[in-house]
Amino acid sequence: MGSPANGQSTLSGWGRVPVAGREQLSENLEAATRGAVLCRGLGRSYGDSSLPANADDKVVATRLANRILAFDPESGILRAEAGLCLADLNRLFIPRGYFTPVTPGTKFVTVGGMVASDVHGKNHHQEGCFGAHVQSLRMRLASDDIVTCSETENPDLFYATIGGMGLLGHILEVEFKMHRISSPWIWMESERVGDIDEFITALSNAAPRWPMTVGWIDCLIRGASLGRGILMAGRWATPEEAKAKPPPLTRKKTLPFEFPNWAINPLTVQAFNVAYYWQHMNHRNAGLVGTDPFFYPLDAVLHWNRVYGPRGFTQYQCVLPRAAGPQAVREFMELLTKLGGASPLCVIKDCGPEGKGLLSFPLEGTSIAIDMAISAETQRIVDRLNEFVIAAGGRIYLTKDGFTRPEHFAAMEPRLPQFLAAREKWDPKRRLRSAQSHRLFGDRA
């Protein structure tokens, strides 16, 4: 049975903006989710998708329900409880020659959260989102019934749940296919890129040659160097290329205290960006790296989100469709630098075709993600960026969002009526809800 409430009076996501609420922890997710309004994993979504709409809502934390229930080494099919942490999955399976088919930029997420967000990674242009590799889900519905869904069993529920932000049912178990890897090492090449136009070309050239690509861009610099940065491309190293021993375990550091609000400002961000860009002295580098520094560089410092201070932060992530052309990316960067508010973290990625999840984020084009410290200007900046994205035919990532207005989301998401119809079928009384669904879809608080 579920444990008593853990005594917390507030909950927050990774953006560190608290709301009133409590969570219940339990190893028995099937029992704990009865009557629950919302499930949350490790609280790594930046905005309000894992936060309750009302302080009295029953919120279940899944992270103690983390058992691996079955694994077939021949097929790679793995079934696990929704609270299994990706970090634990990596620790157990990389030495056995398997890796999750898709990983986000942090390993501190649960497999249930990976489904609810339909996470994407550096290999989206070749492998799609995590949902493309999910075989089936076991879920508790708003009616408290427990069902299984897949491509062939309750398929409308299956595809509405993939990327559905936990609003169709509580995910209890996930079955998905692990990938075989040739070694525990990554062969990586990195390249210094001079401006945003060159970056778009470099991403396009790298996509057919590399299974994994990602870039960091300077989101403050203007003029001829607008959008300069570092492009990183990688693949699993062959046994012949790999070192004899696996990558060493990296000792985690912890940011021990909360920075003051003024620590992240245009001057400090500019200083960081200049130093980071010119740290890459050679135009091109190549060599072996471990999985953690390649996939999860920010995880090297635990609680790094404290750097934004008590005001908290948000991340704005959008995708601009390929059809809008590279000039749309340049114009977006010009608007972003003009509006200000950006941080040292600005990531650009190449996205492949849209997946089947009804609210899954990526579509074929260019994704840009920017951290922003929260200020009185944040809503205005998000509004302006959203207006641009809507005009370009793009969309934003709900897992990162805490500020998009409902009319903006409706304007950028043509699949929304289909998603809402699925909610109407599986949860007509809207019992399952979050602070995000209250904000965007008008669910009651």
Side-chain angles (χ1 to χ4, degrees), residues 11-178:
L11 296 170
S12 63
W14 193 240
R16 305 185 73 233
V17 178
V19 303
R22 296 173 185 271
E23 63 181 16
Q24 294 185 16
L25 280 161
S26 175
E27 294 181 354
N28 188 343
L29 209 52
E30 182 172 323
T33 51
R34 182 177 291 278
V37 170
L38 180 68
C39 277
R40 57 186 261 131
L42 292 164
R44 295 299 286 248
S45 54
Y46 285 59
D48 50 4
S49 59
S50 68
L51 302 180
N54 186 294
D56 295 327
D57 286 347
K58 181 180 178 181
V59 179
V60 175
T62 65
R63 55 189 179 271
L64 293 185
N66 60 356
R67 285 161 286 216
I68 294 172
L69 304 172
F71 177 66
D72 179 356
E74 291 298 320
S75 66
I77 301 293
L78 183 147
R79 185 162 58 89
E81 292 180 321
L84 176 65
C85 179
L86 179 57
D88 292 329
L89 188 69
N90 290 348
R91 177 176 54 81
L92 293 169
F93 279 85
I94 289 177
R96 291 169 169 80
Y98 296 88
F99 192 70
T100 181
V102 172
T103 178
T106 175
K107 61 182 177 180
F108 299 118
V109 292
T110 63
V111 294
M114 290 168 69
V115 174
S117 292
D118 199 14
V119 296
H120 60 282
K122 298 173 175 64
N123 60 352
H124 186 270
H125 59 289
Q126 293 200 1
E127 295 291 345
C129 291
F130 183 68
H133 306 271
V134 173
Q135 308 283 310
S136 68
L137 301 170
R138 186 165 180 264
M139 300 175 60
R140 179 181 289 284
L141 302 174
S143 63
D144 273 333
D145 293 334
I146 291 179
V147 300
T148 298
C149 61
S150 67
E151 286 186 350
T152 56
E153 186 175 6
N154 300 312
D156 60 332
L157 175 65
F158 183 67
Y159 290 119
T161 301
I162 293 173
M165 310 310 294
L167 298 175
L168 271 295
H170 304 303
I171 300 170
L172 305 177
E173 296 173 11
V174 182
E175 186 174 273
F176 60 100
K177 187 170 184 176
M178 297 282 280

Side-chain angles (χ1 to χ4, degrees), residues 68-376:
I68 294 172
L69 304 172
F71 177 66
D72 179 356
E74 291 298 320
S75 66
I77 301 293
L78 183 147
R79 185 162 58 89
E81 292 180 321
L84 176 65
C85 179
L86 179 57
D88 292 329
L89 188 69
N90 290 348
R91 177 176 54 81
L92 293 169
F93 279 85
I94 289 177
R96 291 169 169 80
Y98 296 88
F99 192 70
T100 181
V102 172
T103 178
T106 175
K107 61 182 177 180
F108 299 118
V109 292
T110 63
V111 294
M114 290 168 69
V115 174
S117 292
D118 199 14
V119 296
H120 60 282
K122 298 173 175 64
N123 60 352
H124 186 270
H125 59 289
Q126 293 200 1
E127 295 291 345
C129 291
F130 183 68
H133 306 271
V134 173
Q135 308 283 310
S136 68
L137 301 170
R138 186 165 180 264
M139 300 175 60
R140 179 181 289 284
L141 302 174
S143 63
D144 273 333
D145 293 334
I146 291 179
V147 300
T148 298
C149 61
S150 67
E151 286 186 350
T152 56
E153 186 175 6
N154 300 312
D156 60 332
L157 175 65
F158 183 67
Y159 290 119
T161 301
I162 293 173
M165 310 310 294
L167 298 175
L168 271 295
H170 304 303
I171 300 170
L172 305 177
E173 296 173 11
V174 182
E175 186 174 273
F176 60 100
K177 187 170 184 176
M178 297 282 280
H179 278 188
R180 294 298 301 263
I181 55 176
S182 49
S183 80
W185 289 91
I186 301 288
W187 180 267
M188 184 181 85
E189 288 187 11
S190 58
E191 176 183 354
R192 187 155 42 84
V193 183
D195 62 45
I196 190 63
D197 298 321
E198 187 182 337
F199 221 123
I200 298 302
T201 301
L203 274 173
S204 177
N205 292 339
R209 296 186 296 115
W210 293 91
M212 298 174 279
T213 60
V214 68
W216 167 86
I217 50 179
D218 185 338
C219 56
L220 282 186
I221 197 162
R222 301 187 187 189
S225 298
L226 176 81
R228 71 180 183 182
I230 311 295
L231 172 65
M232 288 151 279
R235 59 171 171 76
W236 292 100
T238 65
E240 294 75 22
E241 294 169 330
K243 297 180 182 179
K245 293 183 178 179
L249 296 175
T250 52
R251 186 173 181 178
K252 295 288 185 298
K253 303 178 180 66
T254 299
L255 195 63
F257 55 85
E258 187 176 66
F259 278 31
N261 283 340
W262 53 261
I264 297 293
N265 61 64
L267 288 177
T268 57
V269 172
Q270 189 170 35
F272 173 89
N273 286 359
V274 169
Y276 190 80
Y277 181 74
W278 289 109
Q279 179 187 348
H280 200 283
M281 292 297 291
N282 298 325
H283 178 66
R284 182 176 283 111
N285 292 328
L288 291 171
V289 295
T291 51
D292 276 13
F294 181 75
F295 290 113
Y296 318 114
L298 290 175
D299 287 347
V301 181
L302 303 177
H303 301 294
W304 62 262
N305 55 347
R306 291 173 177 168
V307 75
Y308 288 95
R311 60 188 164 177
F313 75 111
T314 187
Q315 187 177 92
Y316 185 86
Q317 183 167 7
C318 68
V319 59
L320 300 170
R322 194 93 66 216
Q327 69 274 16
V329 181
R330 167 169 278 278
E331 291 170 4
F332 179 86
M333 291 302 301
E334 289 172 345
L335 176 63
L336 176 64
T337 56
K338 179 181 176 183
L339 291 171
S343 79
L345 189 62
C346 187
V347 174
I348 187 168
K349 278 191 283 199
D350 197 35
C351 289
E354 179 177 281
K356 293 183 178 179
L358 290 187
L359 288 188
S360 183
F361 161 66
L363 55 76
E364 189 158 2
T366 303
S367 166
I368 301 173
I370 317 106
D371 280 5
M372 300 179 191
I374 292 175
S375 72

